[in-house]
Amino acid sequence: METTNKANTMMAELKTLCNKDNIVLSLSQYEKLVGYALLLEDWNNKINLISRKEDAPILIKHVFHSLLIGLFHQFSSSEKVLDLGTGGGLPGIPLAIAWPDTQFLLVDATGKKIAACQSMIKSLDIKNAVAVHSRVEELKGMSFDTVLSRQVAQLEQLCSYASKILKPGGRLICLKGGNLDHEIKKALAGKKEKGSFPSVVEQFPVSGYSPCFTEKHIVIAR
Ligand SMILES: C[S@@+](CC[C@H](N)C(=O)[O-])C[C@H]1O[C@@H](n2cnc3c(N)ncnc32)[C@H](O)[C@@H]1O
C-alpha cells in the first residue's frame, strides 16, 4: 500500500515535469520509468550504482535527467545506440523506455553493475535494451549511429572511444556538468588523431528544466 502511494506520487511528479517540457509518454511508459527509479533505489542499497547523496529524488536527478536527451535528439526506429559506461542503466534504460522502437546496447566495465541492469531490464520487460559486460574498447565488429555517455570520462577520451565505433555521420551525446569550455577545446584540438572526430561540438544548458540541473549540459559532438 505504501509502495503504491509512493509510486503514484512519483508518477504525478514525473508527468508534471514531462508535460511542461512536451515529453510525450504513455501510461505504461510512466509506470516503467517509475518502476525503474524504484528498482534503481533498491539496487543502490546493495551495490554502488549512483550517488547516495539524498539531495534530490532519483526520479528527477537521474531518470528525468536522462530523458532530456530526447529533447535534443529524436531517436529513430533504425538507429543503433550505445550507452557507454551505463553503470546502473543511465541514460540508456530511461531512454529505451521512452523510445521503444530504437535499439539500445548498454555496456559497462563493471560486471555487477551490468548484472543489475540485466535484472532491471528483465523485471521491467524492456525489449529494446541489452546490457553487456565489456569495456567499450573491447567491442569488436560493432558500429553505432549514436553513442551516449553520462558521467564517464573527459570529452576528449569519450571522442576517442566514439570515433572508433561511430558510423559515418554519427554523433556522441553526453550529459555533463560544470564549465566545459576547456574540455571541449581539448576534444576539438585532439581530433587529428581521431579521424577528424569531432568536427563540431555543441553544448546546451539544461538548468532551466529543474533546479537539480544547475551547471548541467547536454553536449553533442559530431
Ligand atoms: C560514474 S559511473 C556513471 C554511470 C552512469 N552512466 C550514470 O550516469 O550513473 C562511470 C561508469 O563508467 C564505466 N566505465 C568507465 N570507463 C569505461 C570503459 N572504457 N568501458 C566501459 N565502461 C566504462 C565505469 O565502470 C562506471 O560504471
Side-chain angles (χ1 to χ4, degrees), residues 1 12 14 43 74 86 107 111 155 164 188 194 196 204 215:
M1 183 65 182
L14 186 61
W43 272 101
Q74 290 273 314
T86 191
V107 299
L155 189 62
K164 297 180 183 104
L188 284 165
K194 301 189 293 287
S196 290
F204 305 94
E215 290 198 10

Side-chain angles (χ1 to χ4, degrees), residues 121-175:
I121 288 169
K122 193 166 177 216
S123 303
L124 296 165
D125 195 26
I126 300 170
K127 305 282 191 214
N128 58 323
V130 173
V132 171
H133 175 209
S134 175
R135 291 193 66 83
V136 68
E137 306 89 304
E138 287 159 7
L139 292 177
K140 297 286 176 240
M142 288 186 170
S143 59
F144 302 89
D145 301 285
T146 304
V147 173
L148 307 174
S149 197
R150 179 175 185 261
Q151 294 169 3
V152 174
Q154 291 271 310
L155 189 62
E156 192 182 8
Q157 177 66 73
L158 294 173
C159 287
S160 168
Y161 292 142
S163 66
K164 297 180 183 104
I165 48 172
L166 273 177
K167 294 181 189 173
R171 81 266 331 142
L172 166 71
I173 308 179
C174 313
L175 289 164

Side-chain angles (χ1 to χ4, degrees), residues 20 45 50 53 66 104 135 140 142 179 188 209:
K20 180 169 72 65
N45 292 328
I50 48 175
K53 257 200 279 169
S66 299
F104 290 81
R135 291 193 66 83
K140 297 286 176 240
M142 288 186 170
N179 186 328
L188 284 165
Y209 293 97

